[in-house]
Amino acid sequence: MSAVTKLFGSFAALNGIDLSVARGEKVVVCGPSGSGKSTLIRCINHIEKHDGGSIVVDGCILDHKAANVDRVRREVGMVFQSFNLFPHMSVLANCMLAPMLVRGLKAVEAEEVAIGFLRRVRIADQATKYPSQLSGGQQQRVAIARAMCMRPKIMLLDEPTSALDPEMVKEVLDTMMELGARASVDGMTMICVAHEMGFAREVADRVIFMDEGAIVEEGAPEQFFCQPKTQRARNFLSRILH
Amino acid sequence: MTADWVSGYGLQLLWGVVTTLSVTLMALIIGTVFGISLGAVKIYGAKPFRYSAEVYTALVRGVPDLIIIYLIYFGGTVALTKLTGRYVDINGFAAGVASLAFIFAAYASDIFRGAIKQVPRGQFDAAHALGLSRRAAFLRIILPQAWRLALPGFGNLAIILIKQTSLISVIGLEELLRASSVISGATRQPFLVYSVTAILYLIMTSFASWGFRHARIWSNRGFA
Amino acid sequence: MLEFSIMADALPSLLKGAGLTGRLAVLILLLGMTIAVPLAYARNAQSIWLHGPAKIYILVVRGVPSLLQVFIVYYGLGQLSFVRSSVLWPVLRDPFWCVIIALGLNSAAYTAEIVAGALRMVPKGLLEASQALGLSWFQTQRKVAIPLAVRAALPAYESEIILTIKATSLASTITLLDLTGAARLEVSNTFAPYEVFLTAGAIYFCITTSLSWLLRRFEERLSTDHRTGERSAKKLQPVLPALTNH
């Protein structure tokens, strides 16, 4: 990803971002709200159209052509801040939909895959329920399972815990840590917008700090959290730690 | 007299009910498909298409249904006659269904547009993130949710449609109203015949509104 | 291709028909509103003897096609001997009055539903306050409930006006030469359905569109006055100096 810009009207949400993430690398992106972190990862699977620069995902150039966009989205999974589960489908149907429509799996195969991942997020017993019958934490775990069912090479997580009640954050974080551990085994790349330091320390290979649409600082989690180099990062850290 | 009612006229009225219901159903299906497409065009379409769709709805809203029915029936006859070179009498059923579907779609498109717009944007994002095509995202994710939101307005339109079928009696199709006019003439008891007809319409519209009320309750299951 | 000469030739008789369409619409709306207000009060009433019949009337009228209602009044009533012998028979034999009665009774049901809904939206506290000030029931309705309900009812009543104009085209089915009737006559003379019906449709469209534009403007003015309170402030101004004189 080089020199990427994104404009909302005259406001530059992303202002010349250069970033490369290696296969299998686990990156945590943090920064104050409005700094462009969400926009950044929404550009990677073209949910948000970038206005300048170039983005290459898994060897495929994202050039607004439908064929390339489809190819990238097949390999990139995403978990949203607000879950975005499909309310008119059961938990199981949510997880089976894309594997069947996009990957062309048969219903039996898709169900097997779905049950497998639902079990991993420890929610398989709720498979026939509708999303509205679940708690926020459970919904977000379903959303993680749904994204995993596509067996993505790259996983994008957009503040998966920030819309949750405090008592539910832990169950989702645990799921994400497990996801990170498995990612190391499978070689799945993870890019996660998150503020939880514990999670970042445990899982991340690298932390990226963004402000005002630009990458201000990056480094190993230990170094970033203990000895931030820039004043802006120090201000930010002091605010989230207290 | 009583025997006539049971055998001949009763059957004729019943046949009128059947015709009315078939016209309603056909116009409803065609009009709904057309109306959803038109609603989608109004949201996603390129400017010239969007604009034409708006003009179409405005025209139907501003002109009496009878004029539209006459235009499609007589206009269709003239067009086909010129096209084939000999006199063609256009089928009343087809013209009736076509014009009612044409009218229905104009109103339905606004209801579906409103419903589609109410579906949260995140649903589209999630569908795209999973790799679903625009088409699949619309048909599998957006439309099923929009249906629930569109149901109250859609039900009203469907009940209006049942009543609108009476208008195509003017082009000679023997639906319920036309049948009862014929019987009125034969029996010279118009008040009686038309009152019976009114009760038949009332049964159809009440049944439809009962059905839509239950459909609404059913479709809201699982939603807070 | 369209022949514009036919359109031009048909125009005078179509415009004459449009005149009748306008007269019908005005009379139907007047009759409808006259019946609708008491009907709306009956519908909102506590007593089942009042709201029961009102609800049944509204349900029946709205559940049956308006064309059938026109036929019942025009063809049906003549079958009843007491109608034929009554003083009203000359009126009920005239298709003009039949359309007005049938569609007026029809419009009354729809309008009553609009008015009743608007009256229910008036906050209860305002009515209680006005009665606490010593205003009678009639005064409360006239000074508080109705002015507030009118604003609430306006958008829905606007579309009732447009629907009524469109509904007058049903008059053509019982021999009246309103805009639609005149168009049918012209078509049978010229057999040029496209030209004539398109012209008639265009006239209808001009009438309904310009009217709904005017009504929306009117409504906007009312609602902005309401929001800023400009109008009520102006009304108060001449009163205030008078007060200081005392």
Side-chain angles (χ1 to χ4, degrees):
Chain A
M1 169 178 255
S2 69
V4 169
T5 53
K6 165 77 193 174
L7 305 170
F8 290 117
S10 59
F11 171 73
L14 294 182
N15 199 355
I17 297 277
D18 293 299
L19 173 68
S20 61
V21 178
R23 182 155 303 171
E25 195 179 9
K26 296 186 284 290
V27 177
V28 166
V29 183
C30 60
S33 62
S35 60
K37 349 177 259 301
S38 287
T39 310
L40 172 73
I41 72 167
R42 286 163 69 87
C43 280
I44 296 174
N45 63 349
H46 208 260
I47 296 288
E48 218 70 79
K49 226 164 116 179
H50 56 285
D51 298 309
S54 69
I55 302 179
V56 180
V57 180
D58 192 30
C60 182
I61 302 164
L62 256 187
D63 52 2
H64 311 324
K65 275 197 197 119
N68 289 338
V69 171
D70 285 347
R71 234 179 83 198
V72 166
R73 283 178 181 165
R74 259 201 296 275
E75 305 307 332
V76 179
M78 186 165 202
V79 175
F80 298 85
Q81 186 178 347
S82 51
F83 330 137
N84 291 344
L85 292 177
F86 305 133
H88 60 299
M89 295 179 176
S90 70
V91 163
L92 189 62
N94 259 284
C95 294
M96 288 165 61
L97 181 75
M100 286 171 69
L101 285 184
V102 181
R103 291 251 190 267
L105 260 61
K106 289 198 189 70
V108 198
E109 301 165 329
E111 188 171 335
E112 205 173 305
V113 174
I115 292 285
F117 281 106
L118 286 172
R119 199 165 284 148
R120 253 200 246 170
V121 300
R122 289 183 299 279
I123 209 159
D125 50 328
Q126 317 272 10
T128 55
K129 285 197 180 167
Y130 283 86
S132 59
Q133 296 168 293
L134 304 180
S135 72
Q138 289 173 318
Q139 287 191 47
Q140 192 59 297
R141 284 188 279 145
V142 171
I144 292 172
R146 178 176 73 176
M148 287 302 295
C149 285
M150 289 293 284
R151 299 185 192 281
K153 291 183 185 161
I154 303 169
M155 183 68 126
L156 308 172
L157 299 106
D158 185 5
E159 302 198 44
T161 58
S162 64
L164 294 173
D165 292 334
E167 70 269 23
M168 291 166 185
V169 169
K170 191 179 174 306
E171 62 181 75
V172 172
L173 275 183
D174 287 346
T175 310
M176 284 160 61
M177 290 204 192
E178 204 186 294
L179 189 71
R182 286 208 73 90
S184 313
V185 179
D186 303 342
M188 183 174 78
T189 312
M190 256 174 88
I191 304 175
C192 181
V193 176
H195 291 157
E196 287 81 7
M197 244 178 58
F199 169 74
R201 278 193 167 147
E202 182 89 14
V203 174
D205 302 316
R206 179 156 52 125
V207 174
I208 289 172
F209 173 69
M210 283 182 72
D211 196 10
E212 290 173 357
I215 295 177
V216 176
E217 184 171 341
E218 54 182 307
E222 240 8 88
Q223 183 211 337
F224 174 76
F225 286 113
C226 301
Q227 298 149 326
K229 285 176 281 192
T230 59
Q231 186 58 43
R232 274 198 272 181
R234 271 196 290 276
N235 289 345
F236 172 71
L237 284 172
S238 71
R239 254 181 291 133
I240 63 163
L241 293 179
H242 301 291
Chain B
M1 189 79 232
T2 328
D4 281 353
W5 266 102
V6 175
S7 60
Y9 299 138
L11 216 62
Q12 200 174 353
L13 271 189
L14 202 67
W15 190 242
V17 169
V18 171
T19 311
T20 287
L21 288 177
S22 355
V23 171
T24 305
L25 205 64
M26 293 283 285
L28 189 69
I29 294 169
I30 299 171
T32 303
V33 172
F34 193 29
I36 291 175
S37 323
L38 215 58
V41 165
K42 281 181 179 175
I43 297 178
Y44 308 118
K47 231 183 199 145
F49 294 111
R50 218 159 59 205
Y51 199 68
S52 326
E54 298 289 359
V55 169
Y56 168 53
T57 301
L59 284 176
V60 173
R61 277 188 194 283
V63 175
D65 305 336
L66 267 186
I67 294 280
I68 294 169
I69 291 170
Y70 283 137
L71 251 174
I72 288 180
Y73 179 66
F74 291 118
T77 308
V78 169
L80 285 181
T81 303
K82 276 192 179 145
L83 225 62
T84 56
R86 61 195 165 78
Y87 183 76
V88 183
D89 203 5
I90 204 170
N91 181 314
F93 188 88
V97 169
S99 37
L100 291 180
F102 186 86
I103 296 166
F104 186 86
Y107 289 95
S109 69
D110 276 352
I111 285 174
F112 282 108
R113 180 204 6 220
I116 291 168
K117 276 194 166 165
Q118 274 185 60
V119 176
R121 201 204 121 97
Q123 293 290 315
F124 239 127
D125 289 348
H128 284 155
L130 285 169
L132 266 61
S133 65
R134 269 176 75 96
R135 203 184 126 87
F138 183 73
L139 291 178
R140 304 294 287 259
I141 306 301
I142 305 302
L143 201 53
Q145 296 182 59
W147 254 115
R148 188 178 69 86
L149 300 165
L151 207 53
F154 183 80
N156 281 342
L157 279 189
I159 289 162
I160 292 172
L161 179 62
I162 297 176
K163 296 188 282 172
Q164 276 172 328
T165 56
S166 66
L167 296 178
I168 58 175
S169 62
V170 299
I171 55 174
L173 180 70
E174 197 168 318
E175 42 64 74
L176 181 52
L177 184 59
R178 178 83 182 171
S180 62
S181 292
V182 171
I183 299 169
S184 293
T187 59
R188 297 177 165 278
Q189 289 191 311
F191 189 78
L192 181 66
V193 178
Y194 283 133
S195 301
V196 171
T197 307
I199 293 171
L200 291 174
Y201 274 112
L202 202 56
I203 292 172
M204 289 192 280
T205 50
S206 306
F207 189 73
S209 86
W210 176 84
F212 276 107
R213 202 159 47 240
H214 280 263
R216 201 150 70 227
I217 294 166
W218 178 77
S219 76
N220 281 337
R221 81 209 178 290
F223 291 88
Chain C
M1 268 289 85
L2 293 176
E3 284 184 42
F4 291 101
S5 62
I6 298 179
M7 290 178 155
D9 288 347
L11 206 55
S13 58
L14 290 183
L15 286 176
K16 208 170 144 229
L20 179 57
T21 292
R23 272 207 307 286
L24 286 171
V26 169
L27 288 170
I28 289 166
L29 287 167
L30 280 176
L31 179 63
M33 188 48 103
T34 312
I35 303 170
V37 173
L39 194 60
Y41 275 101
R43 192 207 172 287
N44 282 348
Q46 297 275 318
S47 155
I48 190 165
W49 299 107
L50 286 173
H51 77 233
K55 276 185 182 164
I56 290 174
Y57 176 79
I58 292 170
L59 181 88
V60 169
V61 169
R62 300 213 305 174
V64 170
S66 23
L67 185 54
L68 176 58
Q69 291 166 24
V70 171
F71 283 3
I72 288 178
V73 172
Y74 183 61
Y75 297 114
L77 290 183
Q79 187 199 328
L80 308 171
S81 51
F82 70 85
V83 173
R84 270 205 308 271
S85 55
S86 79
V87 285
L88 284 175
W89 181 233
V91 171
L92 289 172
R93 226 173 22 188
D94 183 349
F96 178 79
W97 291 109
C98 281
V99 167
I100 287 167
I101 291 168
L103 294 182
L105 289 172
N106 181 277
S107 173
Y110 287 90
T111 309
E113 199 58 15
I114 295 169
V115 174
L119 284 172
R120 281 198 302 273
M121 274 165 63
V122 175
K124 254 210 166 86
L126 291 182
L127 303 179
E128 287 166 1
S130 134
Q131 273 166 340
L133 287 168
L135 272 70
S136 72
W137 184 86
F138 270 105
Q139 288 169 324
T140 303
Q141 295 304 316
R142 217 162 57 86
K143 295 288 180 192
V144 181
I146 290 177
L148 287 170
V150 164
R151 292 207 166 93
L154 219 51
Y157 190 63
E158 276 168 32
S159 58
E160 175 59 22
I161 293 175
I162 303 298
L163 286 174
T164 301
I165 293 173
K166 288 169 48 170
T168 55
S169 68
L170 299 182
S172 67
T173 61
I174 55 169
T175 72
L176 283 179
L177 290 180
D178 72 318
L179 180 44
T180 304
R184 274 178 64 177
L185 191 65
E186 282 294 321
V187 170
S188 62
N189 290 341
T190 58
F191 205 67
Y194 274 125
E195 285 82 352
V196 176
F197 283 130
L198 281 178
T199 314
I203 297 173
Y204 272 116
F205 186 72
C206 290
I207 297 172
T208 52
T209 312
S210 54
L211 193 63
S212 80
W213 182 80
L214 276 173
L215 288 169
R216 248 197 324 273
R217 285 286 302 271
F218 173 67
E219 188 205 341
E220 271 167 23
R221 259 188 47 193
L222 263 190
S223 62
T224 46
D225 280 357
H226 189 46
R227 241 197 336 267
T228 58
E230 256 173 47
R231 204 175 52 167
S232 45
K234 269 182 207 143
K235 265 189 182 168
L236 281 176
Q237 263 165 5
V239 179
L240 288 173
L243 281 174
T244 49
N245 285 342
H246 282 272

